[in-house]
Amino acid sequence: MNEDQLNQAYVLTLSCPDRPGIVHAVAGALLVAGSNIMDSQQYGSPATGNFFMRVEVTTAAPASELRAALEPVAAAFSMQWSLNTVGDKVRTLIMASTSAHCLNDLLFQQRSGTLPIEIPAIVSNHRDLAGLAEFYGVPFHYIPVTKDTKEQAEDKLRALLAEHDIELTVLARYMQILSDELCTDLTGKAINIHHSFLPSFKGAKPYHQAHARGVKLIGATAHFVTAALDEGPIIEQEVIRVDHARTPEQFVQMGRDVEGRTLVQAVQWHAEHRVLLDGNRTVVFN
């Protein structure tokens, strides 16, 4: 047995109706599989009555044995669960339109090794960002979208998702609305970013609108994509303070910075299997 096998780490995430004995049963199954628990977090939601858990373990046993030990427990407690190898990169497709800031932040963090994702494709409804994709060596797919071609465009997107075995789709300032059917198919597997003013300051130039109203806080919201536009379960938000001396252009630049940071953080937490859905809310473990 080599050193890698002795130190193989896995992360188990689960959710189920809350009841006594869940932690004991999970810990017992992990012990049967020869696992050593390195980190464990749990939460029981009083609002929904659901229980959530994230456990990191090391073991010399193969993943198949770990799954076999957990399956009876999962069945007994009606769990939704997943077991992933720590460090495995999540295959991620990024969609963008003409704004480069969020796409660039994701690509830079991925290349620097701080974001545990693999990016096999970038999709855009414009050609503006093709050069950025080329700089990072990621294949760029131009898929134009009009009212008459929306269905065909989504068919091409679905084909790319299947071809590249995509686990996560990130809308990095992609300025097109996905169909309800596609949003449903991507439930819990697609993340969007936008400014945090909503439902105020909708439409064009939201930062200019905010400046005209004299707001003192601006920020960004990263959330899962749902058919309800910009109303999906929130993963991360950040706000920064502004004052009367800032120009509309400074609002825009500061907003871009916070959008990029917020999206990167949300993607990182998702890729580390720290985000679990609880209805229209999320549980995000540290």
Side-chain angles (χ1 to χ4, degrees):
M1 185 176 296
N2 61 39
E3 188 70 17
D4 288 340
Q5 288 175 307
L6 287 171
N7 294 311
Q8 184 62 68
Y10 297 94
V11 56
L12 166 68
T13 56
L14 63 90
S15 62
C16 62
D18 200 359
R19 55 181 264 203
I22 299 172
V23 175
H24 180 270
V26 170
L30 293 172
L31 178 62
V32 167
S35 303
N36 183 33
I37 295 176
M38 306 301 293
D39 181 74
S40 180
Q41 300 178 69
Q42 63 196 60
Y43 172 70
S45 171
T48 62
N50 292 324
F51 178 83
F52 304 86
M53 192 172 185
R54 181 184 187 275
V55 187
E56 287 192 23
V57 302
T58 57
T59 180
S64 58
E65 289 186 16
L66 202 52
R67 292 182 185 278
L70 289 165
E71 283 170 354
V73 175
F77 288 92
S78 301
M79 291 178 180
Q80 292 183 316
W81 64 291
S82 65
L83 182 71
N84 295 278
T85 303
V86 171
D88 276 1
K89 294 182 178 180
V90 174
R91 294 182 61 79
T92 302
L93 181 143
I94 303 177
M95 304 182 71
S97 289
T98 59
S99 296
H101 57 288
C102 287
L103 175 61
N104 184 66
D105 283 359
L106 290 165
L107 292 168
F108 176 80
Q109 295 295 339
Q110 187 273 338
R111 175 169 288 188
S112 67
T114 58
L115 195 59
I117 62 174
E118 182 180 355
I119 307 172
I122 295 168
V123 169
S124 180
N125 58 321
H126 295 273
R127 299 186 187 275
D128 301 51
L129 303 177
L132 182 61
E134 182 180 6
F135 175 80
Y136 282 99
V138 179
F140 181 86
H141 301 267
Y142 169 57
I143 303 179
V145 182
T146 67
K147 181 180 179 180
D148 296 329
T149 64
K150 186 178 183 67
E151 185 175 347
Q152 295 93 319
E154 289 197 349
D155 286 343
K156 292 179 181 178
L157 175 61
R158 290 177 185 275
L160 282 173
L161 295 173
E163 177 186 350
H164 295 289
D165 194 23
I166 297 299
E167 302 169 277
L168 175 66
T169 302
V170 180
L171 277 58
R173 301 298 292 161
Y174 181 69
M175 307 307 290
Q176 287 288 325
I177 298 174
L178 303 182
S179 69
D180 290 356
E181 294 77 14
L182 184 56
C183 289
T184 299
D185 291 344
L186 295 177
T187 296
K189 298 183 290 185
I191 297 174
N192 188 27
I193 185 72
H194 57 71
H195 59 77
S196 63
F197 301 132
L198 296 176
S200 299
F201 310 137
K202 295 181 179 180
K205 296 189 174 181
Y207 291 105
H208 288 72
Q209 296 178 52
H211 181 270
R213 286 289 302 274
V215 303
K216 305 306 179 191
L217 293 172
I218 64 175
T221 296
H223 62 88
F224 283 118
V225 173
T226 64
L229 182 63
D230 293 333
E231 295 184 12
I234 294 170
I235 303 170
E236 171 65 336
Q237 293 178 294
E238 184 181 341
V239 295
I240 53 177
R241 184 165 292 279
V242 293
D243 61 29
H244 61 278
R246 299 288 184 178
T247 66
E249 291 72 25
Q250 287 175 321
F251 269 39
V252 171
Q253 184 55 57
M254 295 169 73
R256 287 172 178 166
D257 291 343
V258 73
E259 285 172 4
R261 289 197 304 272
T262 304
L263 182 58
V264 166
Q265 183 64 84
V267 170
Q268 180 166 4
W269 283 338
H270 180 86
E272 293 174 350
H273 311 289
R274 299 183 182 278
V275 185
L276 298 173
L277 282 169
D278 185 20
N280 198 41
R281 303 172 69 230
T282 60
V283 173
V284 182
F285 287 117
N286 297 326

